[in-house]
Amino acid sequence: ETGVTQSPTHLIKTRGQQVTLRCSSQSGHNTVSWYQQALGQGPQFIFQYYREEENGRGNFPPRFSGLQFPNYSSELNVNALELDDSALYLCASSGFFGQGTRLTVV
Amino acid sequence: RKEVEQDPGPFNVPEGATVAFNCTYSNSASQSFFWYRQDCRKEPKLLMSVYSSGNEDGRFTAQLNRASQYISLLIRDSKLSDSATYLCVVNLGGAYNFNKFYFGSGTKLNVKP
């Protein structure tokens, strides 16, 4: 067990909708990062949270946003979904990844 | 230019073969290096860290050449269960970049009976 859990595992949304993905990690993992993995590609860094503040961001537009909570859980929010947002979304803490949320935008 | 470049493969090898993967990275400030393994439709899992002195874990040997910005992974005596995608990963390091990994696109390995 990696101690990193994501929900939901699968999700289907319509273009233009908003989505919230969740990640929880064991106590003590005060840094969490989110990644997007398109089919056939390596994961791409979206952003990192450290002690509830964004602390580094990759090349993703502002419609990708996040939160980290005092209990070390985290959310990734994506507004105005586009077809290209279809991917596996991964959160990571201390080098360990959750099982991911597979998002399909139709 | 991509931060981390890998040959996508696939590498198709028979059981028992030795296979080597390579990757190059562009940022000379990179501090830490890893190989991750990813099975189909699963999350990446840490295979091993990579050190300048070279390190070995059973059948797996990793090597780092900082001067050439080159990382390698050698798998000896391949098993069917080694079939997966191998991701080369670099990190800039530091407390605020611990989880900010740059991934290669992965090299697919198929081990055949």
Side-chain angles (χ1 to χ4, degrees):
Chain A
E1 289 296 323
T2 66
V4 182
T5 305
Q6 292 185 243
S7 64
T9 55
H10 295 83
L11 200 53
I12 299 175
K13 288 286 192 178
T14 303
R15 189 172 47 183
Q17 284 188 313
Q18 178 268 342
V19 69
T20 297
L21 311 181
R22 293 180 173 83
C23 172
S24 63
S25 60
Q26 292 176 340
S27 175
H29 293 197
N30 55 13
T31 305
V32 64
S33 295
W34 285 89
Y35 292 82
Q36 179 196 67
Q37 186 174 23
L39 199 62
Q41 300 295 317
Q44 298 293 311
F45 175 75
I46 302 174
F47 45 55
Q48 174 177 273
Y49 276 80
Y50 174 68
R51 293 185 176 178
E52 302 173 48
E53 296 204 358
E54 187 180 295
N55 179 35
R57 190 178 184 92
N59 189 26
F60 281 81
R63 60 189 184 85
F64 286 77
S65 63
L67 287 171
Q68 187 185 28
F69 300 101
N71 66 354
Y72 305 108
S73 65
S74 175
E75 288 181 355
L76 165 65
N77 298 291
V78 187
N79 293 323
L81 284 166
E82 300 176 0
L83 297 179
D84 285 349
D85 295 333
S86 295
L88 179 67
Y89 288 86
L90 297 157
C91 77
S93 187
S94 297
F96 296 101
F97 284 83
Q99 81 277 24
T101 294
R102 189 164 298 280
L103 172 66
T104 301
V105 182
V106 297
Chain B
R1 183 184 176 186
K2 289 186 178 180
E3 293 281 349
V4 181
E5 301 261 15
Q6 282 183 261
D7 180 345
F11 284 54
N12 298 307
V13 303
E15 272 187 292
T18 295
V19 61
F21 305 138
N22 306 312
C23 87
T24 57
Y25 61 95
S26 61
N27 193 331
S28 60
S30 299
Q31 295 292 316
S32 51
F33 309 87
F34 309 91
W35 283 99
Y36 273 73
R37 169 197 169 126
Q38 187 170 29
D39 294 292
C40 188
R41 305 185 73 83
K42 298 285 190 180
E43 76 275 18
K45 293 185 178 178
L46 179 65
L47 180 64
M48 58 197 304
S49 300
V50 188
Y51 305 111
S52 297
S53 55
N55 49 298
E56 188 173 306
D57 182 0
R59 298 181 293 108
F60 299 84
T61 300
Q63 195 76 45
L64 166 65
N65 184 322
R66 283 188 183 271
S68 302
Q69 295 182 200
Y70 172 94
I71 304 163
S72 65
L73 176 68
L74 184 75
I75 304 175
R76 291 180 299 278
D77 189 22
S78 298
K79 311 290 185 191
L80 294 176
S81 57
D82 294 334
S83 296
T85 296
Y86 290 83
L87 296 160
C88 178
V89 184
V90 306
N91 182 275
L92 291 178
Y96 299 110
N97 288 301
F98 182 75
N99 276 318
K100 187 178 180 183
F101 294 149
Y102 293 98
F103 284 81
S105 295
T107 299
K108 188 168 176 57
L109 172 66
N110 296 316
V111 181
K112 310 287 189 182

